[in-house]
Amino acid sequence: MRTISTAIVGLAVSIGLAGSVEAQSARSDIEAALVTFTKAFNAKDAAGVAAHYTEDAAILPPDSRRVDGRDKIQQFWQGAIDGGGSDLALEAVEVSESGNFAFEVGKFSLKAPGKDDNPVDQAGKYIVISKKGTDGAWQLYRDIWNADPATQQ
Amino acid sequence: MRTISTAIVGLAVSIGLAGSVEAQSARSDIEAALVTFTKAFNAKDAAGVAAHYTEDAAILPPDSRRVDGRDKIQQFWQGAIDGGGSDLALEAVEVSESGNFAFEVGKFSLKAPGKDDNPVDQAGKYIVISKKGTDGAWQLYRDIWNADPATQQ
């Protein structure tokens, strides 16, 4: 009995560890992707930003229509870059993983031209659903964000 | 061999059916919850709206701070109701399920007082992450939305 109990405990520990290693992997992969996403945006590389999305991804920007497909998403980010967006920063506050999906609740900040074209700090929050490809890499599948309350300038 | 092949095909079909029945269940449960959510909102029942969220849920409203916990979420919706929001309608465009999580991309519309307090049609899009409780019921866990482009009034 002792041997069986030990084996069961061993199995439970193995399953527990496997679970947490996988969750850790999603979080570290997603955090690494945040770094390359922001680097691409801040280098004005819209194609580099778009490469983080699945081919069939969709973004849901505030005060804008839903944008479907990586090519259209690249055009959207090109527009944001051409419009003077800069200094993007992203922070994953929560990452949860379930099968081939992960969802992430986060915060962003960037500078964008305000009145008189002076750069204004903007901040907000987002939810991203990522999908794990057959190669094991996570890519953004659905992406929605909105602004925090306006701060006094 | 024929018998084994047939058995394997039968097993595959059973798994396939079980999968689609489960997905169907999440979608129909979530669509049923959309109906009761909107009924509660339109009946000015903030507690009824809040009952759709998990105790540890969070909402991320546009131009507002993140709101954590069912009690605070009830206060938020009470404020929206007291502010004159009415005629809420919700539509699930996509529902995907993975384990105890489901995510939903949808559209909303409602009326809210505009200039001169006249009701103005508003529309937007949302992503909701739902969580399946131990009782098998789905509840909203994370909820974010934003507006479509402003329409001409």
Side-chain angles (χ1 to χ4, degrees), chain B residues 67-135:
Chain B
V67 177
D68 273 281
R70 190 192 283 159
D71 292 348
K72 292 274 171 57
I73 289 171
Q74 180 174 335
Q75 290 170 26
F76 176 89
W77 288 116
Q78 188 68 58
I81 291 165
D82 293 347
S86 68
D87 296 273
L88 178 67
L90 298 169
E91 181 197 345
V93 177
E94 304 172 273
V95 179
S96 294
E97 185 182 355
S98 185
N100 289 328
F101 288 107
F103 77 86
E104 173 192 347
V105 183
K107 296 178 184 180
F108 70 86
S109 64
L110 81 165
K111 291 183 190 294
K115 290 175 185 170
D116 309 324
D117 280 342
N118 290 324
V120 174
D121 291 325
Q122 301 191 348
K125 47 214 178 300
Y126 68 85
I127 289 184
V128 163
I129 315 290
S130 291
K131 216 170 180 176
K132 188 159 59 177
T134 48
D135 60 352

Side-chain angles (χ1 to χ4, degrees), chain A residues 60-66 94 96 98-101 103 105 125-127 129 141-142 144-149, chain B residues 60-66 94 96 98-101 103 105 125-127 129 141-142 144-149:
Chain A
L60 295 88
D63 306 316
S64 190
R65 297 266 165 224
R66 171 179 166 141
E94 304 172 275
S96 294
S98 185
N100 289 328
F101 288 107
F103 77 85
V105 183
K125 47 214 178 300
Y126 69 84
I127 289 185
I129 315 290
Y141 179 58
R142 297 291 180 262
I144 183 171
W145 65 96
N146 64 35
D148 283 346
Chain B
L60 296 88
D63 307 316
S64 190
R65 297 265 166 224
R66 170 179 167 139
E94 304 172 273
S96 294
S98 185
N100 289 328
F101 288 107
F103 77 86
V105 183
K125 47 214 178 300
Y126 68 85
I127 289 184
I129 315 290
Y141 179 58
R142 296 290 180 262
I144 184 171
W145 64 96
N146 64 35
D148 283 345

Side-chain angles (χ1 to χ4, degrees), chain A:
Chain A
M1 282 303 285
R2 191 180 179 90
T3 311
I4 292 171
S5 300
T6 309
I8 291 170
V9 170
L11 182 65
V13 168
S14 301
I15 291 168
L17 283 174
S20 64
V21 166
E22 194 183 6
Q24 182 64 37
S25 160
R27 185 166 189 117
S28 59
D29 284 1
I30 283 169
E31 286 183 339
L34 292 182
V35 172
T36 54
F37 188 109
T38 50
K39 274 191 181 171
F41 184 90
N42 293 328
K44 304 186 187 304
D45 173 13
V49 173
H52 290 78
Y53 292 88
T54 65
E55 282 284 357
D56 59 349
I59 60 174
L60 295 88
D63 306 316
S64 190
R65 297 266 165 224
R66 171 179 166 141
V67 178
D68 272 281
R70 190 192 285 159
D71 291 348
K72 293 275 171 56
I73 290 172
Q74 180 173 335
Q75 289 171 27
F76 175 88
W77 288 116
Q78 188 68 60
I81 291 165
D82 293 347
S86 68
D87 297 274
L88 178 67
L90 298 170
E91 182 196 345
V93 177
E94 304 172 275
V95 178
S96 294
E97 185 181 355
S98 185
N100 289 328
F101 288 107
F103 77 85
E104 173 193 347
V105 183
K107 297 178 182 179
F108 70 87
S109 64
L110 81 164
K111 290 184 189 295
K115 289 175 185 170
D116 308 323
D117 281 341
N118 289 325
V120 173
D121 290 325
Q122 300 191 347
K125 47 214 178 300
Y126 69 84
I127 289 185
V128 163
I129 315 290
S130 290
K131 216 170 179 175
K132 187 157 60 179
T134 47
D135 60 354
W138 291 94
Q139 287 186 299
L140 283 72
Y141 179 58
R142 297 291 180 262
D143 183 7
I144 183 171
W145 65 96
N146 64 35
D148 283 346
T151 51
Q152 292 187 317
Q153 301 300 325

Side-chain angles (χ1 to χ4, degrees), chain B residues 20-41:
Chain B
S20 64
V21 165
E22 194 182 4
Q24 182 63 37
S25 161
R27 185 168 189 115
S28 59
D29 285 0
I30 283 168
E31 286 182 339
L34 292 182
V35 172
T36 54
F37 188 109
T38 50
K39 274 191 181 170
F41 184 91

